[in-house]
C-alpha cells in the first residue's frame, strides 16, 4: 500500500489523513495495532480503483506445519498474512520441549514421523536427499526452518502472541471482516482482518476419559496423559500400564519396556499393526499410496481388499497369537504404525491386556477377570479433543470432536467465506501436503478466484461424508476427521483448480 501513497495524495487531496491511514496499514503489517484516531481513518475516502485493489489482510493462527504453509499460500496469492504464534518459535507439534505447555501440542523426545520424506514435503520445497526417509522430530524442525527461511516467512509471524477472541464485525454480511483480539506480554490489542486461517491443530487438548475407569481416584500410583511423557529413564524399574494402542500408545509401550520392570498394554479392541518398511524395503506410504493401488482398491469390494491386507499383515506376525487381533476390519480404524511392538511382545517385555475394568489403590482389574498388582504408573494414550475457544461458537461449534465444515475446511453457513480451518484432518498419510492444498484453495476463495457452492450443497456433502465415515469406521472421537490421502487431495486439487 505504501507504493500507492503518491497516487492517493493526488486523488484524495489530504496529506494528513492519508498519512494517518498509511501508518495504520504499515503498523498492521508488522503485527502491531497502532492506535490512530478512528475518525481520521473513517474520513479517508480512497478512490474506487484503489478500494478494489487493496491487499486483503489475513490472520493466520498458529505457526506449525499448517500455519507455515498458510503464510506461504497467502503470499503466493498476493494477500497480506499476519501470523500469531503463542510460543516463541515455529514448528507446532514437532518442536520438542522438555516440559509440556498448556495450549500447545507436546511430543516425546524420540518421536519419529510415520510418513516418509518423499510423501510429506511441501510441493515446492523438497526435503534434502541426505535426510532419512523417516525423520526424527529434530530433522523435521530443521526442514521447517529451511522452508521458512527460503520463503522469508518469519517476518510475518508475531511470536509469543495469543489469539484471545475472533468475532465477526457488525458489517460482516457486507464486508466479511473480523475483529481479532490478541495478547502479548499481558497487553491486549484489537485489529481488523479481511479473512482468517485457523491453523491451531488438533493435538492440543488431551482426552482423558477418567470416568470410564472406576477407582482411578483411589489409585495411589501416578497417572498421566501420553502428552506428558518425554523419556523412559525416570520410570526405571516401574510396573506400568499403557491404555490405548494407537501410535502413541504403542510407541510408549515399546520405549518404556526398555527401562521398566514390566509394561502392560491395555486395549479395548486390538489393532492392525503396520511396519514403516514395506515390500522390498520401500517406505510404507510410497508403496501404499499410488494411483495403481487406488485403482485396484476401487475395483474390488472393501471386504476383499481388507482380507488381502490382513492376510499380508498376518504373514509378518499372527495378530491373534499376539493378542492384538482387532474386532474390526483393516479399513475400519486408523492402523497402528510400529516397527518394534511384535518383538517386545514375543520377548515378554510388553504384555497385551484387555481393557481396564477398574482400579484399586495399587492394582488394575481387567475386563477378562485378570488382575495385575503393584502398578506404579498408568499412561492414558487416549487421544485428543479439539476445540476453538477463541472463535465465537456459532462459527465453529464442536461437539464430541465433531464440527461441520465443508471439505473439512469451510463453515457452510457464513454469509461470506472468509474463515477457513487448515489441518483439521486425520489422514491415512502425510498432513503437510494436505494442509498446503487446503491453504491454496482457501486463499483462492478469499481472493475471489474460486467460489463455494450453495449452502444446501455444502450441507449435503458434509452429511454424506459423515454418514460414510460412520459406516466405515468404528465409533471413536479419533474418526470424526478421517480422510484418505489421495482421494481427498484430488478433491482439493479439483476445487482449487490446480
Amino acid at each position: 500500500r505504501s507504493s500507492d501513497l503518491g497516487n492517493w495524495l493526488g486523488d484524495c487531496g489530504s496529506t494528513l489523513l492519508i498519512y494517518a491511514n498509511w501508518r495504520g496499514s504499515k503498523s498492521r503489517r508488522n503485527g502491531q495495532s497502532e492506535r490512530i484516531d478512528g475518525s481520521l481513518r473513517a474520513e479517508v475516502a480512497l478512490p474506487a480503483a484503489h478500494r478494489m485493489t487493496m491487499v486483503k489482510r489475513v490472520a493466520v493462527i498458529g505457526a506449525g506445519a499448517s500455519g507455515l504453509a498458510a503464510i506461504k499460500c497467502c503470499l503466493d496469492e498476493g494477500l497480506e498474512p499476519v501470523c500469531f504464534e503463542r510460543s516463541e518459535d515455529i514448528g507446532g507439534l514437532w518442536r520438542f520441549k522438555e516440559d509440556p505447555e498448556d495450549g500447545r501440542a507436546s511430543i516425546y523426545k524420540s518421536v519419529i514421523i510415520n510418513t516418509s520424506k518423499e510423501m510429506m514435503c511441501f510441493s515446492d520445497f523438497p526435503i534434502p536427499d541426505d535426510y532419512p526417509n523417516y525423520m526424527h522430530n529434530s530433522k523435521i524442525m530443521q526442514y521447517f526452518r529451511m522452508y521458512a527461511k527460503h520463503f522469508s516467512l518469519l517476518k510475518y509471524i508475531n511470536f509469543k502472541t495469543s489469539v484471545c477472541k475472533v468475532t465477526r464485525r457488525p458489517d460482516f454480511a457486507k464486508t466479511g471482516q473480523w475483529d481479532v483480539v490478541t495478547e502479548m506480554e499481558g497487553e491486549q490489542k484489537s485489529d481488523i482482518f479481511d479473512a482468517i486461517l485457523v491453523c491451531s491443530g488438533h493435538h492440543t487438548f488431551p482426552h482423558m476419559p477418567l470416568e470410564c475407569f472406576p477407582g482411578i481416584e483411589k489409585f495411589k500410583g501416578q497417572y498421566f496423559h501420553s502428552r506428558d511423557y518425554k523419556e523412559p529413564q525416570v520410570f526405571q524399574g516401574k510396573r506400568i500400564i499403557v491404555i490405548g494402542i494407537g501410535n502413541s500408545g504403542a510407541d510408549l509401550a515399546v520405549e518404556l519396556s526398555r527401562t521398566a520392570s514390566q509394561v502392560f498394554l491395555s486395549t479395548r479392541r486390538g489393532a492392525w499393526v503396520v511396519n514403516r518398511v514395506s515390500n522390498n524395503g520401500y517406505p510404507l506410504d510410497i508403496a501404499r499410496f499410488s494411483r495403481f493401488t487406488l485403482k485396484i482398491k476401487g475395483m474390488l469390494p472393501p471386504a476383499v481388499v481388507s482380507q488381502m491386507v490382513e492376510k499380508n499383515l498376518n504373514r509378518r506376525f499372527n495378530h491373534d497369537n499376539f493378542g492384538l487381533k482387532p474386532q474390526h476390519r483393516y479399513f475400519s480404524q486408523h492402523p497402528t504404525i510400529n516397527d518394534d511392538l511384535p518383538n517386545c511382545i514375543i520377548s515378554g517385555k510388553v504384555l497385551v491386556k484387555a481393557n481396564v475394568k477398574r482400579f484399586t489403590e495399587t492394582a488394575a482389574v481387567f475386563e477378562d477377570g485378570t488382575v495385575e498388582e503393584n502398578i506404579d504408573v498408568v499412561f492414558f494414550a487416549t487421544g485428543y479433543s479439539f476445540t476453538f475457544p477463541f472463535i465465537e461458537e456459532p462459527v465453529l461449534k464442536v461437539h464430541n470432536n465433531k464440527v461441520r465444515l465443508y471439505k473439512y475446511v469451510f463453515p457452510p453457513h457464513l454469509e461470506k467465506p472468509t474463515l477457513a480451518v487448515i489441518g483439521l484432518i486425520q489422514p491415512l498419510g502425510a498432513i503437510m501436503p494436505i494442509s498446503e492444498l487446503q491453504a491454496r484453495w482457501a486463499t483462492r476463495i478469499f481472493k475471489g478466484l474460486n467460489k463455494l457452492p450453495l449452502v444446501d450443497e455444502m450441507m449435503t456433502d458434509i452429511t454424506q461424508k459423515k454418514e460414510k465415515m460412520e459406516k466405515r469406521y468404528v465409533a471413536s472421537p479419533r474418526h470424526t476427521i478421517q480422510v484418505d490421502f489421495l482421494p481427498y487431495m484430488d478433491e482439493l486439487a479439483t476445487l482449487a483448480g490446480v
Side-chain angles (χ1 to χ4, degrees), residues 265-318:
L265 180 57
S266 172
T267 172
R268 283 183 297 170
R269 49 178 173 254
W272 294 105
V273 180
V274 184
N275 200 316
R276 286 185 179 89
V277 182
S278 187
N279 298 337
N280 301 311
Y282 286 102
L284 174 66
D285 50 4
I286 290 180
R288 179 194 292 174
F289 301 132
S290 69
R291 295 291 174 188
F292 176 76
T293 56
L294 185 64
K295 184 83 171 177
I296 295 299
K297 182 181 174 183
M299 295 169 59
L300 298 173
V304 174
V305 180
S306 288
Q307 186 177 12
M308 293 169 60
V309 175
E310 291 163 13
K311 184 177 180 180
N312 187 51
L313 293 177
N314 279 325
R315 283 199 190 102
R316 181 183 173 220
F317 72 93
N318 188 303

Side-chain angles (χ1 to χ4, degrees), residues 49 74 299 301 364 385 403 407 428:
C74 285
M299 295 169 59
S385 300
V403 60
K407 304 300 183 185
L428 289 169

Side-chain angles (χ1 to χ4, degrees), residues 33-49:
S33 180
E34 190 164 308
R35 300 188 180 280
I36 299 175
D37 191 323
S39 62
L40 291 182
R41 292 189 190 177
E43 291 173 13
V44 177
L46 298 181

Side-chain angles (χ1 to χ4, degrees), residues 211-214 241 243 265-270 327 352-359 364-372:
E211 68 280 1
C212 298
F213 299 92
I241 296 176
I243 297 176
L265 180 57
S266 172
T267 172
R268 283 183 297 170
R269 49 178 173 254
Q327 303 167 11
V352 179
K353 304 290 292 186
N355 192 41
V356 174
K357 183 178 181 180
R358 61 184 175 88
F359 286 98
V365 181
F366 297 89
E367 289 182 349
D368 60 2
T370 60
V371 180
E372 293 296 340

Side-chain angles (χ1 to χ4, degrees), residues 18 25 96 339 393 464 468:
I18 290 301
S25 299
F96 170 78
D339 305 317
E393 190 171 276
Q464 289 176 347
K468 185 178 180 180

